[in-house]
mmCIF file with all atom_site columns, all heavy atoms in Angstrom:
data_model
loop_
_atom_site.group_PDB
_atom_site.id
_atom_site.type_symbol
_atom_site.label_atom_id
_atom_site.label_alt_id
_atom_site.label_comp_id
_atom_site.label_asym_id
_atom_site.label_entity_id
_atom_site.label_seq_id
_atom_site.pdbx_PDB_ins_code
_atom_site.Cartn_x
_atom_site.Cartn_y
_atom_site.Cartn_z
_atom_site.occupancy
_atom_site.B_iso_or_equiv
_atom_site.pdbx_formal_charge
_atom_site.auth_seq_id
_atom_site.auth_comp_id
_atom_site.auth_asym_id
_atom_site.auth_atom_id
_atom_site.pdbx_PDB_model_num
ATOM 1  N N   . GLY A 1 388 ? 15.715 -5.375 -12.591 1.00 0.00 ? 460 GLY A N   1
ATOM 2  C CA  . GLY A 1 388 ? 15.949 -5.282 -14.028 1.00 0.00 ? 460 GLY A CA  1
ATOM 3  C C   . GLY A 1 388 ? 14.863 -4.508 -14.745 1.00 0.00 ? 460 GLY A C   1
ATOM 4  O O   . GLY A 1 388 ? 15.136 -3.667 -15.613 1.00 0.00 ? 460 GLY A O   1
ATOM 5  N N   . THR A 1 389 ? 13.609 -4.772 -14.372 1.00 0.00 ? 461 THR A N   1
ATOM 6  C CA  . THR A 1 389 ? 12.494 -4.058 -14.997 1.00 0.00 ? 461 THR A CA  1
ATOM 7  C C   . THR A 1 389 ? 12.565 -2.572 -14.702 1.00 0.00 ? 461 THR A C   1
ATOM 8  O O   . THR A 1 389 ? 12.298 -1.727 -15.571 1.00 0.00 ? 461 THR A O   1
ATOM 9  C CB  . THR A 1 389 ? 11.150 -4.620 -14.494 1.00 0.00 ? 461 THR A CB  1
ATOM 10 O OG1 . THR A 1 389 ? 11.082 -6.019 -14.795 1.00 0.00 ? 461 THR A OG1 1
ATOM 11 C CG2 . THR A 1 389 ? 9.980  -3.907 -15.145 1.00 0.00 ? 461 THR A CG2 1
ATOM 12 N N   . GLY A 1 390 ? 12.930 -2.231 -13.477 1.00 0.00 ? 462 GLY A N   1
ATOM 13 C CA  . GLY A 1 390 ? 13.031 -0.828 -13.102 1.00 0.00 ? 462 GLY A CA  1
ATOM 14 C C   . GLY A 1 390 ? 14.111 -0.081 -13.862 1.00 0.00 ? 462 GLY A C   1
ATOM 15 O O   . GLY A 1 390 ? 14.042 1.139  -14.014 1.00 0.00 ? 462 GLY A O   1
ATOM 16 N N   . LEU A 1 391 ? 15.104 -0.810 -14.360 1.00 0.00 ? 463 LEU A N   1
ATOM 17 C CA  . LEU A 1 391 ? 16.214 -0.182 -15.083 1.00 0.00 ? 463 LEU A CA  1
ATOM 18 C C   . LEU A 1 391 ? 16.000 -0.132 -16.595 1.00 0.00 ? 463 LEU A C   1
ATOM 19 O O   . LEU A 1 391 ? 16.775 0.509  -17.307 1.00 0.00 ? 463 LEU A O   1
ATOM 20 C CB  . LEU A 1 391 ? 17.515 -0.946 -14.786 1.00 0.00 ? 463 LEU A CB  1
ATOM 21 C CG  . LEU A 1 391 ? 18.021 -0.887 -13.335 1.00 0.00 ? 463 LEU A CG  1
ATOM 22 C CD1 . LEU A 1 391 ? 19.250 -1.775 -13.160 1.00 0.00 ? 463 LEU A CD1 1
ATOM 23 C CD2 . LEU A 1 391 ? 18.341 0.547  -12.931 1.00 0.00 ? 463 LEU A CD2 1
ATOM 24 N N   . LEU A 1 392 ? 14.942 -0.806 -17.086 1.00 0.00 ? 464 LEU A N   1
ATOM 25 C CA  . LEU A 1 392 ? 14.704 -0.819 -18.531 1.00 0.00 ? 464 LEU A CA  1
ATOM 26 C C   . LEU A 1 392 ? 14.315 0.572  -19.028 1.00 0.00 ? 464 LEU A C   1
ATOM 27 O O   . LEU A 1 392 ? 13.425 1.210  -18.463 1.00 0.00 ? 464 LEU A O   1
ATOM 28 C CB  . LEU A 1 392 ? 13.572 -1.801 -18.878 1.00 0.00 ? 464 LEU A CB  1
ATOM 29 C CG  . LEU A 1 392 ? 13.914 -3.292 -18.908 1.00 0.00 ? 464 LEU A CG  1
ATOM 30 C CD1 . LEU A 1 392 ? 12.647 -4.095 -19.193 1.00 0.00 ? 464 LEU A CD1 1
ATOM 31 C CD2 . LEU A 1 392 ? 14.969 -3.585 -19.959 1.00 0.00 ? 464 LEU A CD2 1
ATOM 32 N N   . PRO A 1 393 ? 14.956 1.062  -20.084 1.00 0.00 ? 465 PRO A N   1
ATOM 33 C CA  . PRO A 1 393 ? 14.574 2.369  -20.632 1.00 0.00 ? 465 PRO A CA  1
ATOM 34 C C   . PRO A 1 393 ? 13.231 2.291  -21.354 1.00 0.00 ? 465 PRO A C   1
ATOM 35 O O   . PRO A 1 393 ? 12.861 1.242  -21.898 1.00 0.00 ? 465 PRO A O   1
ATOM 36 C CB  . PRO A 1 393 ? 15.713 2.679  -21.618 1.00 0.00 ? 465 PRO A CB  1
ATOM 37 C CG  . PRO A 1 393 ? 16.279 1.341  -21.981 1.00 0.00 ? 465 PRO A CG  1
ATOM 38 C CD  . PRO A 1 393 ? 16.115 0.463  -20.781 1.00 0.00 ? 465 PRO A CD  1
ATOM 39 N N   . MET A 1 394 ? 12.496 3.403  -21.346 1.00 0.00 ? 466 MET A N   1
ATOM 40 C CA  . MET A 1 394 ? 11.179 3.432  -21.986 1.00 0.00 ? 466 MET A CA  1
ATOM 41 C C   . MET A 1 394 ? 11.253 3.201  -23.489 1.00 0.00 ? 466 MET A C   1
ATOM 42 O O   . MET A 1 394 ? 10.270 2.791  -24.112 1.00 0.00 ? 466 MET A O   1
ATOM 43 C CB  . MET A 1 394 ? 10.495 4.766  -21.699 1.00 0.00 ? 466 MET A CB  1
ATOM 44 C CG  . MET A 1 394 ? 9.922  4.879  -20.291 1.00 0.00 ? 466 MET A CG  1
ATOM 45 S SD  . MET A 1 394 ? 8.752  3.541  -19.907 1.00 0.00 ? 466 MET A SD  1
ATOM 46 C CE  . MET A 1 394 ? 7.497  3.805  -21.157 1.00 0.00 ? 466 MET A CE  1
ATOM 47 N N   . THR A 1 395 ? 12.421 3.428  -24.088 1.00 0.00 ? 467 THR A N   1
ATOM 48 C CA  . THR A 1 395 ? 12.560 3.180  -25.523 1.00 0.00 ? 467 THR A CA  1
ATOM 49 C C   . THR A 1 395 ? 12.391 1.704  -25.841 1.00 0.00 ? 467 THR A C   1
ATOM 50 O O   . THR A 1 395 ? 11.971 1.333  -26.934 1.00 0.00 ? 467 THR A O   1
ATOM 51 C CB  . THR A 1 395 ? 13.939 3.654  -26.011 1.00 0.00 ? 467 THR A CB  1
ATOM 52 O OG1 . THR A 1 395 ? 14.968 3.073  -25.175 1.00 0.00 ? 467 THR A OG1 1
ATOM 53 C CG2 . THR A 1 395 ? 14.041 5.166  -25.961 1.00 0.00 ? 467 THR A CG2 1
ATOM 54 N N   . ILE A 1 396 ? 12.724 0.850  -24.870 1.00 0.00 ? 468 ILE A N   1
ATOM 55 C CA  . ILE A 1 396 ? 12.545 -0.595 -25.053 1.00 0.00 ? 468 ILE A CA  1
ATOM 56 C C   . ILE A 1 396 ? 11.135 -1.014 -24.663 1.00 0.00 ? 468 ILE A C   1
ATOM 57 O O   . ILE A 1 396 ? 10.462 -1.752 -25.386 1.00 0.00 ? 468 ILE A O   1
ATOM 58 C CB  . ILE A 1 396 ? 13.581 -1.380 -24.217 1.00 0.00 ? 468 ILE A CB  1
ATOM 59 C CG1 . ILE A 1 396 ? 15.001 -1.106 -24.742 1.00 0.00 ? 468 ILE A CG1 1
ATOM 60 C CG2 . ILE A 1 396 ? 13.276 -2.876 -24.230 1.00 0.00 ? 468 ILE A CG2 1
ATOM 61 C CD1 . ILE A 1 396 ? 16.084 -1.793 -23.940 1.00 0.00 ? 468 ILE A CD1 1
#
Side-chain angles (χ1 to χ4, degrees):
T461 302
L463 294 175
L464 282 177
M466 284 304 299
T467 52
I468 295 178

